[in-house]
Amino acid sequence: KQGALTVKNLPSIVAKKGEVILDVKAAAVNFPDILIVQGKYQFKPEGEFSPGSEVAGIVKSVGEGVKGFNVGDHAIGSVAYGGYAQECAVPHQRLIPIPKQMPFPEAASVLMAYGTSHYALVDRAALKEGETVLVMGASGGVGLAAVQLAKALGAKVIAAASDDAKLALCKENGADVLINYGTDAKDFKEALKEACPTGIDVVYDPVGGPYSEIALRNMAWKGRFLVIGFAAGNIPQIPLNLALLKGCSIVGVFWGQFTMKEPQVNAGYLMDLMKMYGKGQIRPHVSKTFSLEEATEAMNAMAERKVTGKVVL
């Protein structure tokens, strides 16, 4: 039933044509995993299933037609679900190699958070050096990734989070300006005006809720408002006249769909991310690890927004 997770023993997976079987060493916990279990995501698996969309591990076997991967290789991959398991079948197009010295918990934290943020900032927003980026929910997994990436791309980064401890983490990860929006909407509005009197070029919003409209009202001319998700639970009802008056764009960011529709472009972006990791420009912040048997606890911690950065099984 929805919300119920149990650990079961099942037969080993056999690789189908075009698949790679990973011996999973780490699986990231992401907000869409929670929505899938609750039956609230864009798609609903039929019958029993294992959540988990982001895995890191060692290649155990390869299916017919797979090239570029051999047994024993270290790799990270993305799947629709099935990652919370000791073995996971990954289409070879959705797998990329990683250095053997890269820790598996960090590796499992790269694809969704950094893939989403890189696609959002580089592709959808066409972020330019010197522009200002407001990152909402900046201490979360995708938020911290956006902070690091925006800074690496030469932007001024305003980090908004709900308490001072979370903001301290954002500062450590490169944020230039810190805003605590855990008080009230009026304070958030005034803080944005003080931080960026001429308006914000790019808003990165994975939260939704009451603060989205306030951020949109503080956009610069030709600004880009990136719709990442709705962690707050409420989808904002935005007056569209604001986009007209600001001359700004409201841009949807659905990284999962992008990876399926434009796999070659996505592969290039992921290789760019691995290069940035190698240069030390990005580094996933894994705040806590759980065992596979503790998956429910891990997902509840994320659902209740008690975590910073990434949580990994």
Side-chain angles (χ1 to χ4, degrees):
K1 64 181 180 179
Q2 293 178 358
L5 295 176
T6 58
V7 177
K8 288 186 176 182
N9 290 318
L10 300 172
S12 288
I13 305 172
V14 176
K16 298 177 183 178
K17 184 177 180 179
E19 287 184 342
V20 173
I21 304 302
L22 270 192
D23 178 6
V24 178
K25 299 300 182 183
V29 178
N30 293 296
F31 196 71
D33 301 339
I34 299 168
L35 296 179
I36 291 172
V37 170
Q38 294 174 335
K40 297 178 180 179
Y41 200 55
Q42 286 92 334
F43 61 83
K44 298 179 181 180
E46 295 182 4
E48 289 188 331
F49 69 96
S50 173
S53 57
E54 191 174 20
V55 292
I58 301 172
V59 174
K60 182 178 181 181
S61 63
V62 297
E64 179 186 348
V66 174
K67 296 181 180 180
F69 291 98
N70 298 298
V71 173
D73 288 347
H74 290 206
I76 52 177
S78 61
V79 291
Y81 52 88
Y84 294 3
Q86 292 177 323
E87 296 177 356
C88 183
V90 184
H92 71 95
Q93 305 96 326
R94 300 175 69 86
L95 201 68
I96 62 171
I98 60 172
K100 289 195 174 182
Q101 65 270 25
M102 188 177 189
F104 287 117
E106 284 192 8
S109 303
V110 168
L111 283 177
M112 183 166 287
Y114 289 87
T116 296
S117 296
H118 184 277
Y119 171 57
L121 295 172
V122 173
D123 189 298
R124 303 297 282 147
L127 179 65
K128 302 178 183 66
E129 185 176 357
E131 289 191 313
T132 299
V133 178
L134 168 65
V135 180
M136 312 274 276
S139 65
V142 293
L144 276 182
V147 169
Q148 292 180 8
L149 284 166
K151 193 65 179 176
L153 294 168
K156 174 185 176 181
V157 181
I158 302 172
S162 58
D163 64 52
D164 291 339
K166 292 179 179 179
L167 287 171
L169 178 62
C170 297
K171 183 70 173 179
E172 292 173 11
N173 282 269
D176 300 293
V177 179
L178 308 175
I179 297 177
N180 184 337
Y181 57 26
T183 49
D184 60 52
K186 182 179 179 181
D187 288 345
F188 182 52
K189 178 180 178 181
E190 294 303 319
L192 285 181
K193 287 184 177 180
E194 181 179 345
C196 198
T198 58
I200 302 157
D201 297 302
V202 176
V203 172
Y204 182 100
D205 185 9
V207 180
Y211 297 108
S212 297
E213 184 176 330
I214 298 171
L216 184 61
R217 289 181 180 276
N218 283 274
M219 297 289 292
W221 181 252
K222 293 187 178 181
R224 289 84 78 201
F225 187 104
L226 300 171
V227 182
I228 312 297
F230 312 102
N234 298 320
I235 299 176
Q237 304 299 305
I238 298 294
L240 286 180
N241 67 308
L242 291 177
L244 184 154
L245 295 172
K246 292 289 182 178
C248 67
S249 303
I250 300 174
V251 185
V253 180
F254 190 175
W255 178 74
Q257 191 74 353
F258 159 70
T259 65
M260 291 185 280
K261 288 186 174 294
E262 302 181 55
Q264 296 303 319
V265 178
N266 178 59
Y269 286 167
L270 293 179
M271 294 310 296
D272 289 343
L273 285 173
M274 295 312 298
K275 291 176 183 176
M276 295 179 78
Y277 178 88
K279 294 177 181 178
Q281 294 177 306
I282 60 173
R283 186 73 61 185
H285 174 76
V286 180
S287 60
K288 192 169 183 180
T289 59
F290 294 82
S291 68
L292 181 62
E293 291 75 16
E294 296 172 324
T296 298
E297 182 182 345
M299 296 178 82
N300 284 336
M302 174 160 285
E304 294 166 7
R305 301 177 71 180
K306 294 179 178 178
V307 302
T308 57
K310 296 288 288 190
V311 173
V312 176
L313 301 181

